[in-house]
Amino acid sequence: MLRSGLHVLGRWRGRFLCAAANRPQSGPGQHRPPRESRRLRIVLAALRHELAPATGIALLSCLAAVSIFSPLRAAPPEAQTNTTAKQPSTLAFGTRVEGTKIPDDLRATLTDNIQLGKGKAPSPATLGQLRRRATEDAARLNDVLRSEAYYNGRVDVEIEEAQGGRLDVAFRVTLGPRSMIRSFIIQYTDSPCDMASLPKDGTALGLKSNRAARAQRVIDLTAAAMSFLENHGHPRPKLAERKVIVDLAANQADITLTIKAGPPERFGDLTIANEGRTKDDYVRSLTKFKPGDPYDRSKADATVSELRKTGLFDRVTLDAVDTSGDTVPQKLTLTERPHRSVGVGARWSSDQGAGVTTFWEHRNFFSAAEKLHLDLTIAQELQLLGAHFSKPHFLRDDQTLLADFEVAHEITDAYHENRVKTAAGIARKLRETLNASAGLSFEIERTTDSTGYHAYELFGIPMTGRYDGSNDLLDPTKGMRLGLALTPYAGSADGAATTFVKLDATGSTYLSFSRKFTLALRARYGSMLAQQTGDVPGSIRFYAGGGSSIRGYGYQLVGPINAKKEPLGARSVFEASAETRYRVSRDIGLVAFLDAGNAWSTPTPKFSEQLRLGAGVGVRYYTVVGPIRADIGIPLNKRPGIDDSFQLYFSLGQAF
């Protein structure tokens, strides 16, 4: 009976669907019966005409059951639309690393490796997603423990409900004992002829006993083994295998490196490819190897570094040329940068007035990195023409030949002077941050000061030492600078023999308490061992006051003065400055400063006398070449009739 009903239903299926399709659609606002109800009425109408009563009753029972339970399987279209439009909300959660005796650096590394809640991935919307992501992070943290030699350690995840409905994801870390390196063996698959001189274990690479088997330590020791080979005649070693076996019961690790060292080789001929004017002989003088020397990668790298430090080249590459012999020919490719440059600078202060400086420079004058620098200064108090020549690598790599010449006319409140000066010397780099120089000088001065006209002809032996551990030339924020200049003089003053010694020492330090705040401190001490001040030309005497000395006081006005309130110059000086620098933004900075000091006519400072104090504020505008400085200084112990109420200073670079 049921089979007959289904047969009739199948035969009428197409007819029912066509009838349903041809029925007029309900307009807006009209009630449209549910789809299942309409289909049920059509089927019942057909059954009244086609089926026997008994067959119809059976089929009616089946369809009734279908219509009753159909809402459980298929919701109306409107309900489906509303469910799809509702988006799931994300969970509120936090993460933390828990455990005892976790070193701070390891805790930081573990925290950084937690990816839950970081990056662009969507936050978990369900507890299941949160647990899955936390489990992935726990596996990552377990890898971190193994990389730090905690092979018996583990990381477990616990998710707890906190106040406010938030969830706390706790990564509970159990470190366990750390695994130490028990052995570090190096094996060579090709047994090179010089194998006896090659490292056989980690001790030869600097490995000390009882060291943790950290992944980075193993990597570093592997790199050290490869570098040793490259620096001792084996230019192309290959790591065949690195095996790390950890004894979990003993908490010890055995490491074995298997390396193919290759045959020992030597440097071959050097070919230089350069279209510039630099002489090949000069370039070869900077190389740290010679053809026939055992191959040494560190010497090749040092050669490239030395050539870059000359400042002559934009690009320096040194490549090994493949060969089948036992030598490694080298090809050096150079691209020169422009060697000439010009520049101009300006300054202004209320005590010295305006000044302009311009220069022309050639950094490869004789095609061997010789530098010729010509400068011209035109200012209210000084007109100067100078020439400065330097030849690096003079007689030895760390030595430079220096020569200077200047002609100047200087007019200050202290003196009027015409001078010609020449000097020659040698500068040597003692360390990366320490330089020293010594030489001979001769100068002729014609000076007019408050005591009259004076003629000087002087020979000198200038000696200098300079330490610069600061991080920037024009805008230091950390480090220290020290300078010492000592010059004995001998010659004549107004036709009479004279000798004296000048000592000038300076020091500054820079302390940064944050990226924005820097404290800068400076001190200067000067002493002149001369019979009297008149034995010393006006330009060599000590003076204090001005934009680079004690701000707030006029240029050269701190120290001995005559009845006309003109500076006389001094034989000793002391200065100290403190300056706070605050960087407001990338381009703007503010400073506040306090300067103190004085100059004396005695050979050494007389600290029993009052020091002149100056204070003020300033603005810095930071450029690519350094900060532009604008300061206003006020004398704190102003002398009536001598000192102005304030001084203004503008220049390039910090005050010190």
Side-chain angles (χ1 to χ4, degrees):
M1 182 183 301
L2 182 59
R3 186 180 306 160
S4 302
L6 293 177
H7 174 71
V8 173
L9 183 61
R11 186 157 50 92
W12 281 87
R13 178 175 179 270
R15 188 181 303 175
F16 298 155
L17 293 178
C18 292
N22 293 329
R23 289 189 60 183
Q25 300 295 320
S26 300
Q30 291 181 328
H31 175 70
R32 183 176 179 178
R35 181 179 178 184
E36 296 296 335
S37 301
R38 289 187 284 111
R39 183 175 298 176
L40 181 60
R41 287 201 299 269
I42 295 172
V43 172
L44 292 177
L47 290 176
R48 285 198 298 267
H49 297 283
E50 295 290 336
L51 299 180
T55 304
I57 292 173
L59 187 55
L60 181 60
S61 300
C62 295
L63 293 176
V66 171
S67 64
I68 292 173
F69 292 104
S70 60
L72 297 178
R73 292 171 296 143
E78 293 82 1
Q80 292 178 359
T81 302
N82 293 338
T83 303
T84 303
K86 186 177 180 180
Q87 298 295 330
S89 60
T90 58
L91 296 177
F93 63 90
T95 62
R96 67 178 187 273
V97 174
E98 290 186 351
T100 59
K101 298 182 179 179
I102 303 176
D104 292 340
D105 55 345
L106 177 58
R107 184 182 294 274
T109 303
L110 292 169
T111 303
D112 290 342
N113 277 271
I114 296 175
Q115 300 301 311
L116 189 60
K118 300 178 182 178
K120 297 181 179 180
S123 296
T126 65
L127 184 60
Q129 292 178 356
L130 180 64
R131 188 175 299 280
R132 177 179 59 80
R133 297 264 296 275
T135 302
E136 293 173 354
D137 275 344
R140 189 177 295 107
L141 301 191
N142 276 303
D143 291 338
V144 172
L145 292 184
R146 287 191 290 272
S147 71
E148 293 296 325
Y150 294 99
Y151 289 95
N152 279 313
R154 72 176 189 275
V155 178
D156 299 315
V157 178
E158 291 186 12
I159 301 178
E160 302 172 346
E161 186 173 354
Q163 294 181 353
R166 286 179 58 87
L167 297 175
D168 281 344
V169 183
F171 295 91
R172 305 194 185 279
V173 180
T174 304
L175 291 181
R178 208 171 193 182
S179 297
M180 302 296 171
I181 297 177
R182 180 165 54 191
S183 64
F184 193 101
I185 307 301
I186 305 174
Q187 300 175 345
Y188 300 96
T189 60
D190 50 351
S191 301
C193 60
D194 60 344
M195 189 169 64
S197 63
L198 302 182
K200 301 176 179 59
D201 54 36
T203 304
L205 304 175
L207 176 63
K208 298 180 180 180
S209 60
N210 198 34
R211 289 295 185 267
R214 298 173 52 246
Q216 190 59 51
R217 176 169 284 127
V218 175
I219 293 172
D220 291 343
L221 289 170
T222 303
M226 305 300 283
S227 295
F228 185 96
L229 294 171
E230 291 177 338
N231 297 338
H232 292 80
H234 298 269
R236 290 175 287 271
K238 295 182 180 179
L239 178 64
E241 184 183 25
R242 178 171 56 206
K243 184 185 296 183
V244 180
I245 299 177
V246 180
D247 185 347
L248 296 178
N251 295 306
Q252 291 182 321
D254 298 308
I255 302 157
T256 303
L257 300 184
T258 304
I259 299 174
K260 182 180 179 181
E265 300 183 34
R266 297 180 176 274
F267 281 111
D269 294 332
L270 175 65
T271 303
I272 300 174
N274 179 31
E275 297 180 357
R277 58 176 288 166
T278 306
K279 296 177 181 178
D280 286 355
D281 290 344
Y282 171 69
V283 173
R284 292 181 188 276
S285 70
L286 299 182
T287 58
K288 304 302 181 182
F289 60 86
K290 296 179 180 179
D293 290 347
Y295 183 84
D296 189 336
R297 171 69 67 181
S298 64
K299 291 183 178 181
D301 294 340
T303 297
V304 173
S305 177
E306 193 69 25
L307 288 168
R308 286 175 176 167
K309 285 191 296 185
T310 64
L312 299 178
F313 308 103
D314 273 330
R315 180 171 172 266
V316 180
T317 57
L318 182 63
D319 300 313
V321 180
D322 292 334
T323 179
S324 57
D326 59 353
T327 61
V328 186
Q330 304 291 304
K331 182 178 180 180
L332 182 61
T333 304
L334 304 173
T335 302
E336 294 191 13
R337 63 177 54 175
H339 301 312
R340 298 177 181 85
S341 59
V342 295
V344 63
R347 63 173 175 82
W348 181 87
S349 63
S350 57
D351 56 353
Q352 290 180 269
V356 177
T357 301
T358 182
F359 73 87
W360 175 89
E361 184 176 86
H362 196 304
R363 290 173 295 278
N364 202 15
F365 196 69
F366 294 122
S367 303
E370 302 90 351
K371 180 187 292 185
L372 178 61
H373 183 97
L374 305 178
D375 58 78
L376 174 65
T377 299
I378 300 176
Q380 290 179 231
E381 83 287 354
L382 176 65
Q383 297 84 50
L384 181 147
L385 175 63
H388 313 276
F389 177 80
S390 64
K391 179 177 176 57
H393 307 283
F394 180 70
L395 301 181
R396 51 186 288 171
D397 289 344
D398 59 351
Q399 195 163 265
T400 301
L401 175 66
L402 303 174
D404 298 284
F405 176 81
E406 75 172 31
V407 179
H409 174 65
E410 190 170 8
I411 302 174
T412 71
D413 292 338
Y415 59 86
H416 293 186
E417 183 174 276
N418 295 316
R419 65 177 176 269
V420 177
K421 181 178 179 179
T422 184
I426 291 176
R428 181 177 297 180
K429 177 176 285 188
L430 305 179
R431 295 181 182 176
E432 189 63 30
T433 56
L434 182 61
N435 296 274
S437 67
L440 294 172
S441 67
F442 176 72
E443 52 196 284
I444 300 173
E445 285 98 357
R446 298 294 182 260
T447 304
T448 301
D449 59 21
S450 60
T451 61
Y453 175 83
H454 305 280
Y456 302 93
E457 293 86 25
L458 297 172
F459 288 93
I461 305 176
M463 295 172 285
T464 65
R466 179 174 175 79
Y467 169 82
D468 190 349
S470 63
N471 61 336
D472 191 272
L473 179 62
L474 294 177
D475 186 24
T477 57
K478 61 182 179 180
M480 179 184 294
R481 293 175 179 171
L482 298 172
L484 177 65
L486 177 66
T487 307
Y489 287 95
S492 65
D494 295 328
T498 183
T499 60
F500 59 92
V501 178
K502 181 179 182 179
L503 171 68
D504 198 353
T506 59
S508 58
T509 186
Y510 310 91
L511 307 171
S512 288
F513 300 98
S514 67
R515 289 186 175 182
K516 293 186 175 183
F517 182 73
T518 300
L519 174 64
L521 304 173
R522 180 187 71 94
R524 180 192 182 197
Y525 177 91
S527 177
M528 191 97 66
L529 302 180
Q531 291 294 326
Q532 56 185 0
T533 305
D535 292 340
V536 181
S539 58
I540 300 180
R541 301 170 192 169
F542 288 116
Y543 301 91
S548 58
S549 177
I550 307 171
R551 286 164 285 187
Y553 297 87
Y555 178 62
Q556 298 181 339
L557 278 179
V558 175
I561 58 176
N562 61 16
K564 297 180 180 180
K565 301 176 183 179
E566 298 171 338
L568 298 175
R571 285 186 285 168
S572 61
V573 68
F574 173 78
E575 297 172 354
S577 300
E579 186 171 275
T580 59
R581 302 170 182 171
Y582 182 76
R583 191 124 181 192
V584 178
S585 65
R586 184 176 63 90
D587 298 327
I588 301 297
L590 300 176
V591 302
F593 58 84
L594 175 65
D595 299 334
N598 212 332
W600 296 268
S601 58
T602 55
T604 58
K606 297 176 66 175
F607 292 106
S608 58
E609 295 185 2
Q610 183 183 32
L611 297 179
R612 297 297 167 190
L613 302 177
V617 295
V619 178
R620 303 292 183 266
Y621 178 74
Y622 296 94
T623 68
V624 294
V625 295
I628 297 175
R629 173 168 68 108
D631 288 339
I632 178 171
I634 299 174
L636 298 184
N637 41 6
K638 178 182 174 183
R639 296 166 294 182
I642 299 176
D643 301 319
D644 294 330
S645 298
F646 64 89
Q647 298 285 344
L648 297 174
Y649 311 97
F650 297 92
S651 66
L652 177 64
Q654 298 285 7
F656 58 90

